[in-house]
Amino acid sequence: MDVKSAFLNSELSEEVYVSQPPGFEDDERPQLVLKLKKALYGLRQAPRAWNYKLDKSLLSLGFERSPLEHAVYKKEHHGLVLLVGVVYVDDLIVTGSAVCDIVKFKNQMKKLFSMSDLGLLSYYLGIEVKQTAHGVSLCQAGYATKILEQSGMKGCNPCQTPMENRLKLSKKSEGPAVDATMYRSIVGSLRYLVNTRPDIAYAVGIVSRFMESPTTQHLAAVKHILRYISGTLSFGCYYEKRGSMEPTLVGYCDSDLAGDVDDRRSTTGTVFFLGSSLITWLSQKQKIVALSSCEAEYIAATTAACQGIWIARLIADLLKKEPKKFELRIDNKSAISLCKNPVHHERSKHIDTRYHFVRECVEAGRMEVQRRLLKIGPRMLTKALGRVKFLEMRQKLGMKDVKA
């Protein structure tokens, strides 16, 4: 659902005056100004005022805002969640256990605001959604095509990986400088594309480190990503419909060691699956320099633990249940031992206190740490892989051509 002229519906909590608009001037009193009763587009207060108005309206209809994600609202009846609504400015997505409840909510909202009922979700914030009896797919083919057109790469020769194997980029590149504004525009667009494309998360994260002074070498890496996208335009995430059994939350984390050639910091890669469906992923440079592979993996585990606890709590909040213990799989025996108890204290006492949070979570029973025997998922979020290994990892993440 979409609210028409959303900002014009909100009342202002402070006094705001504007000059007389063109065509409505008072010739006898041109020095006077107008006092606003409601918000206008262009006012700094307008977004906040609209958010307050919408929040107040949803609460009046019996909804409750989630304390874990403020854009999510839920409506309960006799301890069961009937409706779940997701808000982004003036766009609302609503889902529920019964069609009649959804229709009733839409009618209530139409009485409060002038709204457009867009029907079954098919397009949202540049994300193309396709719903069938077998599952749901998310794709950004249209958005990816626009990126290629704006960058002049439409019709380019495709490639099979987003980054050359073992490629190392540096801020001290001796190549000629390129237009920084153009470079930032392309990389910024690619960062939004990562919302449905975990396969390019690592490559986009790498080229994002050179926004300040990009060179031809960095631009060549960006064009390599665009060539890969050109050959995988309709790739996205697919969520297959499963049975009534409640799926379990499982996370995987990985890390390279001193992968950044400038500051020798490592890169964290995390993925979380709900059942067999990939729901979140991350490729991020670590904040400190790790002195060993154990320390790098331990830091990655802490990042994954924070994400996993939030997801577990959010799922429990939507289902009106207690948060369940989730499983985190790590590919380093020393890091697993360090998560469970303070072994090798003389080797780990320099690690920042914040990263010992994962150990506290294990001791409290909020998560369980296990050895990851198979190279699933996060490895492609920490390093550039060869073609065969990359395609294998992409398949294990559940990515596919959703329009095939």
Side-chain angles (χ1 to χ4, degrees):
M1 300 186 72
D2 178 68
V3 183
K4 299 178 181 178
S5 304
F7 288 180
L8 303 183
N9 292 285
S10 49
E11 292 85 7
L12 294 172
S13 59
E14 58 276 297
E15 291 187 358
V16 179
Y17 298 90
V18 296
S19 58
Q20 299 180 34
F24 296 90
E25 300 95 340
D26 188 340
D27 296 332
E28 297 181 359
R29 296 175 295 178
Q31 75 282 4
L32 297 183
V33 294
L34 303 178
K35 181 181 178 181
L36 293 180
K37 292 184 178 180
K38 289 192 173 183
L40 291 176
Y41 281 85
L43 286 180
R44 294 182 179 179
Q45 300 92 332
R48 176 60 183 166
W50 162 244
N51 180 264
Y52 178 78
K53 174 74 174 181
L54 181 60
D55 178 72
K56 187 177 179 181
S57 301
L58 290 174
L59 294 179
S60 68
L61 295 178
F63 279 81
E64 177 187 354
R65 185 168 63 182
S66 172
L68 297 160
E69 179 55 67
H70 291 173
V72 175
Y73 292 79
K74 62 183 186 295
K75 187 175 183 179
E76 304 171 11
H77 183 66
H78 296 309
L80 297 176
V81 178
L82 295 180
L83 293 172
V84 176
V86 180
V87 176
Y88 182 83
V89 189
D90 59 347
D91 294 321
L92 285 79
I93 299 177
V94 59
T95 185
S97 56
V99 177
C100 59
D101 294 325
I102 298 176
V103 173
K104 181 180 178 181
F105 168 72
K106 289 183 176 181
N107 292 332
Q108 290 174 329
M109 290 298 292
K110 287 178 180 178
K111 292 180 181 179
L112 296 175
F113 306 104
S114 177
M115 305 198 67
S116 299
D117 187 354
L118 304 179
L120 193 66
L121 181 64
S122 60
Y123 190 82
Y124 188 71
L125 301 177
I127 300 175
E128 302 163 31
V129 183
K130 185 178 180 181
Q131 304 183 52
T132 66
H134 304 290
V136 179
S137 64
L138 303 180
C139 177
Q140 290 176 278
Y143 183 74
T145 302
K146 290 181 180 179
I147 297 175
L148 294 175
E149 292 176 350
Q150 293 172 357
S151 60
M153 295 289 287
K154 186 178 181 181
C156 62
N157 294 327
C159 59
Q160 293 187 305
T161 60
M163 181 169 280
E164 295 179 13
N165 189 21
R166 303 182 185 276
L167 176 66
K168 296 293 184 180
L169 298 175
S170 172
K171 293 181 180 179
K172 301 176 182 178
S173 172
E174 297 179 355
V178 298
D179 185 357
T181 302
M182 177 268 296
Y183 182 90
R184 294 165 188 163
S185 175
I186 298 175
V187 174
S189 300
L190 290 174
R191 291 190 67 84
Y192 189 72
L193 189 61
V194 174
N195 285 329
T196 58
R197 298 291 300 268
D199 52 335
I200 65 172
Y202 173 74
V204 173
I206 291 295
V207 297
S208 298
R209 301 174 186 179
F210 311 104
M211 295 282 209
E212 185 178 356
S213 303
T215 66
T216 52
Q217 187 180 12
H218 305 140
L219 184 60
V222 172
K223 289 183 176 180
H224 193 100
I225 299 174
L226 294 173
R227 289 176 55 208
Y228 171 74
I229 293 172
S230 178
T232 57
L233 275 177
S234 55
F235 270 59
C237 297
Y238 183 74
Y239 302 95
E240 187 176 356
K241 187 176 181 180
R242 298 291 182 179
S244 57
M245 184 180 297
E246 185 176 339
T248 56
L249 180 65
V250 179
Y252 298 83
C253 68
D254 198 4
S255 173
D256 68 343
L257 178 61
D260 192 296
V261 297
D262 293 315
D263 55 22
R264 308 312 295 176
R265 295 183 183 180
S266 307
T267 299
T268 291
T270 66
V271 293
F272 275 89
F273 289 85
L274 188 60
S276 61
S277 300
L278 178 66
I279 58 174
T280 183
W281 51 89
L282 171 72
S283 179
Q284 184 182 68
K285 186 165 76 167
Q286 296 179 358
K287 305 298 182 182
I288 63 173
V289 178
L291 302 183
S292 64
S293 59
C294 171
E295 183 178 346
E297 296 277 2
Y298 187 63
I299 295 171
T302 302
T303 302
C306 294
Q307 183 77 352
I309 288 173
W310 173 75
I311 296 173
R313 286 177 175 174
L314 181 60
I315 294 173
D317 181 55
L318 293 176
L319 298 177
K320 294 298 293 180
K321 297 181 179 179
E322 289 295 321
K324 290 186 176 181
K325 179 169 64 174
F326 67 93
E327 193 175 293
L328 181 62
R329 299 179 181 176
I330 308 173
D331 187 33
N332 187 287
K333 287 185 177 180
S334 297
I336 293 174
S337 299
L338 197 56
C339 289
K340 294 181 178 180
N341 54 73
V343 296
H344 306 304
H345 176 69
E346 70 280 358
R347 300 181 186 178
S348 62
K349 59 186 179 182
H350 66 281
I351 300 177
D352 198 320
T353 307
R354 79 180 82 176
Y355 298 113
H356 293 300
F357 170 73
V358 63
R359 184 187 302 162
E360 179 184 329
C361 295
V362 173
E363 293 174 352
R366 286 179 283 184
M367 59 178 284
E368 180 181 354
V369 178
Q370 289 191 4
R371 179 77 187 279
R372 173 168 57 86
L373 299 178
L374 298 177
K375 298 289 186 179
I376 298 178
R379 191 177 182 187
M380 69 186 300
L381 300 177
T382 61
K383 54 182 69 70
L385 302 176
R387 180 182 60 86
V388 175
K389 184 61 67 175
F390 175 82
L391 296 179
E392 179 187 351
M393 294 296 153
R394 188 178 69 183
Q395 183 181 10
K396 287 181 179 179
L397 283 181
M399 293 200 64
K400 57 186 292 187
D401 189 342
V402 298
K403 294 187 177 182

